Amino acid sequence: EVELLESGGGLVQPGGSLRLSCAASGFTFSSYAMSWVRQAPGKGLEWVSAISASGGGTYYADSVKGRFTISRDNSKITLYLQMNTLRAEDTAIYYCAKDSGDTPSNYFLLWGQGTQVTVSS
Amino acid sequence: DIQMTQSPSTLSASVGDRVTISCRASQTISSWLAWYQQKPGKAPKLLIYDASSLESGVPSRFSGSGSETEFTLTISGLQPDDFATYYCQQYIGNLGTFGQGTKVEIK
């Protein structure tokens, strides 16, 4: 079955760090770019970061640039998002999503179920 | 950054109605536009890509049209399962952006 499964979310204090993971199955992970998209409570979707299939290209929204780092391990078929210096406004459900091609700039074919990140003291 | 504006924000409709949702881009995006459906507590689901191509498995009552800056999602014959929030997304650059969403609710 084609599936994405996120983990690593939780409650963290402002200024803290979290590392999200997204385990893929059912498709050739190394052939597709991947992205993280978040959704704040009661709000719309916000693209956060993307990485090319090879991992050689990474892209970030201005709101997270310098604080978040996207990476992938194609041998472990897993996508990561390292989130540092977290702020209250980073509180959201974080979805990993499979791009339709090997470089970003695509629509999202498949989404995970999401993992909740809450930044609060 | 390219801004995407959807209208209306909320739409009240009845089963069987024809529903139209608009999405406007702040600059031309050719046909690099997708539509997603999201139900409460669930992840978004791809409906339409490249402005008018129907994703496999999506009912044919969903259709997309438009190009450049003006786009439309049409649901022909609204079904109970279609009450949800719909988002457009541009993907012309590396920084894909979404519209703010249109909630389709029961009239």
Side-chain angles (χ1 to χ4, degrees):
Chain A
E1 184 182 359
V2 181
E3 190 176 41
L4 297 170
L5 188 63
E6 302 96 334
S7 60
L11 174 64
V12 61
Q13 292 188 340
S17 298
L18 275 178
R19 188 196 198 200
L20 306 183
S21 299
C22 172
S25 60
F27 65 96
T28 307
F29 181 72
S30 60
S31 295
Y32 293 92
M34 297 291 295
S35 291
W36 289 97
V37 178
R38 68 184 179 184
Q39 187 167 36
K43 302 297 184 182
L45 301 167
E46 179 190 14
W47 174 86
V48 172
S49 183
I51 187 167
S52 63
S54 67
T58 58
Y59 309 87
Y60 300 93
D62 287 344
S63 58
V64 306
K65 200 173 294 183
R67 300 188 299 123
F68 290 11
T69 302
I70 191 171
S71 63
R72 64 191 296 161
D73 186 333
N74 286 343
S75 66
K76 296 183 177 178
I77 51 174
T78 302
L79 174 72
Y80 303 100
L81 186 67
Q82 177 67 44
M83 305 186 295
N84 298 330
T85 319
L86 283 161
R87 306 167 179 167
E89 54 265 36
D90 295 318
T91 295
I93 297 172
Y94 284 72
Y95 296 100
C96 70
K98 173 192 172 191
D99 281 43
S100 55
D102 60 355
T103 59
S105 304
N106 296 296
Y107 51 91
F108 302 121
L109 284 170
L110 176 69
W111 299 63
Q113 88 291 345
T115 187
Q116 176 70 50
V117 172
T118 302
V119 184
S120 174
S121 55
Chain B
D1 292 357
I2 300 174
Q3 308 300 318
M4 307 300 293
T5 304
Q6 289 181 232
S7 61
S9 296
T10 306
L11 188 158
S12 296
S14 301
V15 173
D17 284 354
R18 178 185 174 92
V19 166
T20 298
I21 299 169
S22 297
C23 178
R24 174 176 291 177
S26 60
Q27 62 191 75
T28 182
I29 58 170
S30 185
S31 295
W32 303 120
L33 185 102
W35 290 96
Y36 301 88
Q37 177 193 67
Q38 187 180 34
K39 296 180 179 179
K42 300 294 186 182
K45 171 189 172 184
L46 177 67
L47 300 175
I48 301 283
Y49 61 94
D50 294 349
S52 60
S53 296
L54 191 68
E55 171 65 354
S56 176
V58 174
S60 58
R61 62 181 179 272
F62 291 92
S63 64
S65 63
S67 65
E68 306 300 335
T69 61
E70 300 285 343
F71 302 88
T72 300
L73 174 69
T74 300
I75 310 173
S76 301
L78 197 66
Q79 297 299 301
D81 191 49
D82 301 337
F83 291 97
T85 300
Y86 294 85
Y87 294 92
C88 63
Q89 179 223 351
Q90 66 81 14
Y91 49 94
I92 192 170
N94 294 322
L95 305 181
T97 49
F98 294 88
Q100 81 280 14
T102 295
K103 184 177 181 180
V104 177
E105 50 184 35
I106 301 173
K107 191 173 186 179

